[in-house]
Amino acid sequence: MAVYSRRGLHGQTVREMARRILSGELAEGETIDLAALETELEVSRTVLREALKVLAAKGLVDARQKRGTFVRPRSDWNLLDGDMIRWQYADRGDDSFLDNLHEVREVVEPAGARLAAIRRTEDDLAALDAALDEMAAAVGVPAEEVRADLTFHRALLTATHNELLLRMEVVIEAGLATRDELVHEAKPADDPVPAHRAVAEAVRDGDPDAAEKAVRALLEKARQDLDSTRHGGQRAGKRTAKRATKRARRRNVGDGGAG
């Protein structure tokens, strides 16, 4: 996997090219005009080629003799890559993508909680307790609340002692972070500590059924918060449109136009 700096001109070039591909601006199968892109982005051919190496490692592009560099089919993209997940929802315009992330959480986290209740160690329980303390201290500070939420769910996955499940943290954390940011920006969040403590206590008690039930309750609340945020945004958009229409009508009347 190609390693790259997310900062500087190289990182900007990678993100911009990824954005164009993920948005469809550069379509699947399309050959990329490197010379034109080099001029448009005002980067050297070296920077462009290094960026393409990163995108190739993520399955987005490939190169062939006579054909040149082209966008690979979406079925070849590494959708579970952390950067890919962040890029796909960078503009917060793809509700279906966030729905997919939530569905993955519904598949993975309840089963993970069951395993955690069976396999947890004292170190795992200490990590969950520390995450709860961090969560309690973060209430009212959105950025810290998001960080504490991620810490708790990472500790829960770690307690499964399943390396493959732990690798799913990149998907779960992306879904959590995006959902938390949307919800916290839209309205003050409820105190998350009691619901998360219920999960930790079920894991401490070694009760897989209770642990699964508690996680499912968390996921249902997450779904409700997200739906509320979406609907609130839609209502706000309609109100803004109505106000704009009224202002336009008043201007038309004042100017002698047809109302």
Side-chain angles (χ1 to χ4, degrees):
M1 183 66 69
V3 178
Y4 78 103
S5 171
R6 294 183 175 87
R7 300 179 181 275
L9 186 59
H10 178 52
Q12 293 172 12
T13 304
V14 171
R15 287 194 300 274
E16 175 58 19
M17 293 185 67
R19 182 196 66 77
R20 295 186 183 196
I21 294 171
L22 293 170
S23 68
E25 186 175 333
L26 286 172
E28 297 174 47
E30 182 176 344
T31 298
I32 301 174
D33 186 336
L34 298 185
L37 199 58
E38 184 180 335
T39 300
E40 181 185 352
L41 298 181
E42 298 182 340
V43 297
S44 68
R45 182 58 59 94
T46 299
V47 169
L48 196 56
R49 290 195 182 281
E50 289 301 312
L52 288 169
K53 287 181 182 179
V54 175
L55 299 180
K58 299 177 187 299
L60 288 173
V61 300
D62 201 353
R64 295 283 188 274
Q65 284 187 349
K66 298 183 180 180
R67 181 176 179 181
T69 301
F70 62 93
V71 180
R72 296 176 65 176
R74 184 180 177 87
S75 57
D76 293 340
W77 299 354
N78 183 5
L79 296 175
L80 294 184
D81 177 85
D83 288 324
M84 290 282 285
I85 291 174
R86 284 187 288 272
W87 292 336
Q88 286 186 85
Y89 210 74
D91 297 325
R92 297 180 179 175
D94 186 354
D95 282 348
S96 64
F97 179 68
L98 195 55
D99 287 335
N100 287 340
L101 284 174
H102 187 82
E103 287 173 359
V104 170
R105 290 187 64 195
E106 289 180 321
V107 171
V108 172
E109 291 193 78
R114 294 187 66 87
L115 285 177
I118 295 169
R119 298 175 176 175
R120 83 286 186 273
T121 65
E122 290 302 316
D123 286 343
D124 295 325
L125 295 176
L128 288 170
D129 288 341
L132 287 172
D133 290 342
E134 183 180 338
M135 195 174 291
V139 171
V141 185
E144 295 299 322
E145 288 178 325
V146 172
R147 187 174 297 110
D149 201 17
L150 296 179
T151 299
F152 180 89
H153 287 272
R154 187 184 299 117
L156 186 62
L157 281 179
T158 299
T160 68
H161 295 276
N162 181 308
E163 289 184 345
L164 296 181
L165 268 180
L166 185 56
R167 296 299 184 271
M168 293 301 294
E169 70 178 346
V170 66
V171 179
I172 290 172
E173 289 188 5
L176 269 172
T178 305
R179 172 261 174 195
D180 285 350
E181 288 169 5
L182 286 171
V183 170
H184 288 312
E185 286 180 7
K187 63 176 183 178
D190 299 331
D191 182 359
V193 175
H196 286 78
R197 180 175 289 119
V199 176
E201 289 177 351
V203 170
R204 184 183 303 279
D205 292 342
D207 188 335
D209 291 337
E212 177 182 348
K213 183 178 179 180
V215 165
R216 289 194 182 280
L218 275 179
L219 293 173
E220 178 58 27
K221 181 62 166 60
R223 170 70 75 181
Q224 291 174 0
D225 287 344
L226 187 58
D227 287 345
S228 175
T229 299
R230 286 171 174 169
H231 295 153
Q234 291 169 357
R235 288 193 294 270
K238 290 178 180 178
R239 288 194 297 268
T240 300
K242 287 180 179 179
R243 286 194 293 267
T245 300
K246 288 179 179 178
R247 286 195 296 269
R249 286 174 177 171
R250 284 197 296 267
R251 285 196 299 269
N252 287 337
V253 171
D255 293 339

